[in-house]
Amino acid sequence: MEEALHERCCHSDGASKLNDAAVADLLEFLRIDVELEPAASADREQTSCSKNVTRKQRNWERRLEVKRRKRKEEKQRKKLNRLNKDVNELQLSKRVIKAVTKERLEEARAAGLRLCVDLSMTDRLTDKEISRLAGQIRRLYGSNKKSLQPFHVFLTEFREDSLLYKECVRMNDGFLNYLIDVTEESWFHLFPSEDVIYLTPDASEALEYVEEDKVYILGGLVDETIQKKISFTRAKEFGIRMARLPIDEYMVKKPNPKNFHSKILAINQVFEILLTFRDTKDWTKALAAGIPPGKGYMLASAASTDVTNSQEEL
Ligand SMILES: C[S@@+](CC[C@H](N)C(=O)[O-])C[C@H]1O[C@@H](n2cnc3c(N)ncnc32)[C@H](O)[C@@H]1O
């Protein structure tokens, strides 16, 4: 290439003659240029190569991102499926529980142990007490629904035009569909008197058992304003057997700041005790389940354990 340039420069038309130094300069210049060329192309190659790498990297990151998103979506889909399954199972088990409860209550209505709430004395209650009685009927029914062996529940002398009826419908969801017997008749006309045991806190006889062939009567009363012996008097009028819960036999007074002790319970509490006794045949368990601590009584067995413990501590 040097020779060719030399020839072209030195023999072209003879118009201008370049001397050796000039040629050398030019060549030097060209050499630099020639030397520079591979470096620039290497740079370009490197640039295009790094562009490729960046592009590939971006593609790879995009694919990774898509994969990540898909995995997340799949996870969420599975979670949703699981949740739907749980909800379905829950709804199914709720339906099953409802069906089983209904069956039990219907069986109880056909052949269960009978319990009656005597609503003949509601004229002695204030409006506030009537509302409380409606609430207690709801709780009583709720406990019966949960029981494995429900009672056949009767509400006797219950008039549809009464305030209690209105309150039951207003306060108790589904009251009109309760699986119980509601009647305007008196328990006295419904059951043979020898089968009936009227439960009253004023009876001298303590209840020993809950017998399957008896009918237990609870007085539909609320003691906001304490009126003593109403249910006792009512049972006596009819010459009916009476019984109280065996609180004196299994419990003792618990010391408390107000020195308050009461053996008078709400109808739903008495009912809870009867249900538990029927299941366990154990009065300590039954009374412990139904008597709130606020009544100022404790199990005698627990009191003697307390005494033994404090003696041991001494
Ligand atoms: C709030 S009490 C009414 C107390 C009311 N002063 C009375 O004359 O009986 C409501 C009903 O629950 C029942 N009851 C409450 N405590 C009782 C107990 N210790 N033993 C037996 N029955 C009880 C009775 O049937 C009673 O009529």
Side-chain angles (χ1 to χ4, degrees):
M1 189 179 180
E2 257 178 66
E3 277 167 19
L5 272 168
H6 197 263
E7 237 169 55
R8 275 180 67 190
C9 292
C10 301
H11 306 290
S12 66
D13 299 329
S16 60
K17 281 195 176 178
L18 293 171
N19 58 26
D20 285 352
V23 172
D25 277 353
L26 183 60
L27 285 173
E28 184 62 28
F29 171 75
L30 287 173
R31 201 169 291 130
I32 291 165
D33 216 5
V34 169
E35 275 172 9
L36 277 175
E37 234 179 18
S41 90
D43 270 0
R44 269 200 304 279
E45 243 172 55
Q46 211 175 335
T47 317
S48 82
C49 179
S50 65
K51 272 185 187 166
N52 272 348
V53 170
T54 318
R55 203 181 318 120
K56 277 183 185 166
Q57 197 173 339
R58 262 196 226 124
N59 278 346
W60 180 76
E61 280 171 358
R62 227 174 283 139
R63 259 184 268 135
L64 201 71
E65 183 51 38
V66 170
K67 265 189 187 170
R68 254 191 228 131
R69 209 182 49 234
K70 279 192 176 163
R71 221 178 297 142
K72 201 173 163 188
E73 283 169 2
E74 180 64 10
K75 243 184 176 177
Q76 281 174 342
R77 196 182 56 77
K78 279 186 181 165
K79 199 174 166 185
L80 203 70
N81 280 350
R82 259 199 319 274
L83 272 175
N84 281 342
K85 202 174 148 227
D86 286 353
V87 168
N88 286 343
E89 278 172 5
L90 199 73
Q91 279 172 347
L92 187 74
S93 60
K94 267 190 183 169
R95 267 206 301 269
V96 171
I97 291 170
K98 215 173 164 184
V100 171
T101 306
K102 193 173 170 208
E103 201 179 300
R104 276 197 204 123
L105 288 172
E106 271 164 359
E107 274 171 16
R109 276 178 93 187
L113 176 46
R114 291 159 297 175
L115 178 124
C116 169
V117 183
D118 175 9
L119 297 171
S120 63
M121 301 164 283
T122 49
D123 55 347
R124 308 187 73 135
L125 303 181
T126 62
D127 289 2
K128 193 175 163 205
E129 286 172 329
I130 294 274
S131 294
R132 291 194 60 189
L133 185 57
Q136 290 173 10
I137 290 171
R138 182 183 63 238
R139 279 182 222 115
L140 184 153
Y141 184 67
S143 300
N144 204 36
K145 257 172 77 175
K146 280 191 222 142
S147 168
L148 295 177
Q149 261 188 296
F151 280 66
H152 181 182
V153 175
F154 295 81
L155 302 181
T156 54
E157 292 191 57
F158 196 19
R159 290 205 332 266
E160 280 189 30
D161 61 358
S162 64
L163 176 62
L164 180 65
Y165 193 90
K166 273 194 211 117
E167 285 299 84
C168 282
V169 174
R170 183 181 70 84
M171 292 169 55
N172 305 348
D173 270 353
F175 175 74
L176 296 176
N177 298 320
Y178 275 15
L179 292 169
I180 57 176
D181 281 30
V182 174
T183 173
E184 288 194 4
E185 270 198 84
S186 164
W187 51 267
F188 188 72
H189 297 119
L190 289 176
F191 314 111
S193 49
E194 63 275 16
D195 289 352
V196 171
I197 299 178
Y198 211 115
L199 294 176
T200 161
D202 300 297
S204 51
E205 180 193 333
L207 195 65
E208 275 187 60
Y209 305 105
V210 176
E211 296 166 67
E212 296 295 317
D213 56 349
K214 297 290 183 216
V215 185
Y216 292 89
I217 315 272
L218 295 173
L221 294 163
V222 174
D223 271 8
E224 285 262 308
T225 45
I226 295 165
Q227 304 181 63
K228 284 194 168 178
K229 287 196 169 181
I230 305 176
S231 53
F232 176 86
T233 312
R234 170 112 173 126
K236 208 162 184 208
E237 248 173 60
F238 289 97
I240 291 297
R241 185 177 155 197
M242 291 179 256
R244 58 175 170 80
L245 291 172
I247 298 176
D248 288 336
E249 286 71 12
Y250 291 91
M251 301 188 100
V252 291
K253 285 183 179 172
K254 188 171 64 177
N256 64 72
K258 287 185 185 162
N259 199 24
F260 175 79
H261 305 98
S262 171
K263 289 181 266 186
I264 298 173
L265 306 174
I267 53 164
N268 56 300
Q269 294 167 340
V270 179
F271 185 64
E272 190 70 48
I273 292 170
L274 296 181
L275 275 175
T276 314
F277 180 77
R278 203 176 167 208
D279 285 346
T280 62
K281 305 282 176 284
D282 183 337
W283 279 117
T284 53
K285 283 187 186 147
L287 294 168
I291 299 190
K295 291 284 172 188
Y297 279 86
M298 68 193 290
L299 289 171
S301 49
S304 60
T305 318
D306 277 2
V307 172
T308 319
N309 285 346
S310 56
Q311 277 171 349
E312 276 170 11
E313 275 166 27
L314 287 171

